Amino acid sequence: MSKFTLFTLFLCTMIMVVVAEMLVNDYVDTPNSVKQFQASVLQTMEVADPTGGTDSKAKSGGTVNEKPDPNLSYLSFGLVQSAGFEDTALQRIPFNGILFETIDLRDFKSVDVISNNFLEHNRTQIGTMNEFHAQSRDLADEIFNYLKEKSGKLIGASVNETNTFGERSFYINFLELKDNAFLVVKQGENVYALTYKKGEHSNVQSLLKLLPS
């Protein structure tokens, strides 16, 4: 119990004793005055509680440390703009089971995959981000390792695990695809798989720092 709460309870008790003595000595007309005083004191304690306890939680409409909905994308127009992308819109697309148009994940059932295209001037696709919301660090590690294993079996490609982003990360280098970067990042309880024009690298770097871990 905080010092503030102890002090408030002590103060309340002392005031109640004084009011009770006043009631006994006919300084207060009715017992309703005491009840009204008690209600006022309790209300004051709830509002003044600096710890943001159960009352603050109820007023906020949620629970403490509540996790985001795993089926909702973490991307937003504001987030993309904050990362430095200019004139770029988001296009939510269904995941067809093929990551980077090469990695077959149609049998992947661990979590749903949320996909968004980055559209420059609302027309030209400059990238795609796929989100795997694992909801646990262990599962996120499993997904990351699974994607790395599948990537390592691709013909005409190589895996370069740089661990430059998040907790772990790797690039897939395709021999015939020179203009785009293919990046998989594990951050806390999430895994992000991105492909983007290499000229957008600094913006993607900023975006990854803004995404939940």
Side-chain angles (χ1 to χ4, degrees):
M1 186 178 291
S2 67
K3 293 181 179 179
F4 178 87
T5 304
L6 289 172
F7 174 76
T8 304
L9 291 175
F10 173 76
L11 182 62
C12 249
T13 302
M14 295 300 297
I15 295 176
M16 288 298 296
V17 170
V18 173
V19 172
E21 290 181 356
M22 293 174 63
L23 181 62
V24 170
N25 292 291
D26 294 330
Y27 290 111
V28 179
D29 294 334
T30 65
N32 288 333
S33 299
V34 178
K35 292 181 181 179
Q36 293 172 0
F37 174 79
Q38 288 175 322
S40 298
V41 171
L42 289 174
Q43 185 178 13
T44 301
M45 290 173 62
E46 290 174 359
V47 173
D49 185 0
T51 63
T54 55
D55 291 296
S56 298
K57 182 176 68 177
K59 291 175 183 178
S60 66
T63 57
V64 177
N65 296 325
E66 184 177 0
K67 292 184 178 180
D69 188 334
N71 297 315
L72 295 178
S73 174
Y74 293 150
L75 284 178
S76 66
F77 178 76
L79 198 70
V80 170
Q81 292 294 305
S82 297
F85 289 91
E86 296 182 359
D87 298 319
T88 301
L90 293 174
Q91 179 190 41
R92 180 74 175 265
I93 58 173
F95 181 64
N96 63 5
I98 308 297
L99 182 66
F100 301 149
E101 299 183 1
T102 55
I103 303 175
D104 191 345
L105 298 180
R106 285 175 292 185
D107 293 332
F108 178 80
K109 304 297 182 184
S110 298
V111 297
D112 292 332
V113 182
I114 302 171
S115 301
N116 280 282
N117 286 334
F118 297 84
L119 300 180
E120 189 175 53
H121 304 303
N122 211 29
R123 294 191 306 272
T124 306
Q125 183 178 339
I126 59 173
T128 300
M129 189 173 89
N130 304 278
E131 306 172 49
F132 302 76
H133 301 170
Q135 297 289 287
S136 78
R137 291 179 177 272
D138 289 340
L139 181 55
D141 275 325
E142 291 180 14
I143 294 173
F144 180 89
N145 291 331
Y146 178 73
L147 296 180
K148 181 183 173 183
E149 179 184 356
K150 297 278 285 188
S151 301
K153 296 179 180 179
L154 295 174
I155 298 175
S158 61
V159 172
N160 181 19
E161 186 169 1
T162 62
N163 295 323
T164 305
F165 304 100
E167 297 172 19
R168 301 174 65 190
S169 64
F170 68 84
Y171 285 99
I172 306 173
N173 298 321
F174 292 94
L175 295 178
E176 298 182 356
L177 300 174
K178 302 294 186 181
D179 296 332
N180 284 12
F182 300 85
L183 174 66
V184 177
V185 179
K186 188 262 180 179
Q187 290 189 179
E189 298 181 349
N190 304 300
V191 177
Y192 305 108
L194 306 95
T195 179
Y196 55 91
K197 298 292 184 182
K198 290 184 178 180
E200 301 294 336
H201 178 75
S202 60
N203 293 335
V204 170
Q205 185 177 17
S206 299
L207 179 65
L208 288 170
K209 293 178 181 179
L210 297 174
L211 291 171
S213 59

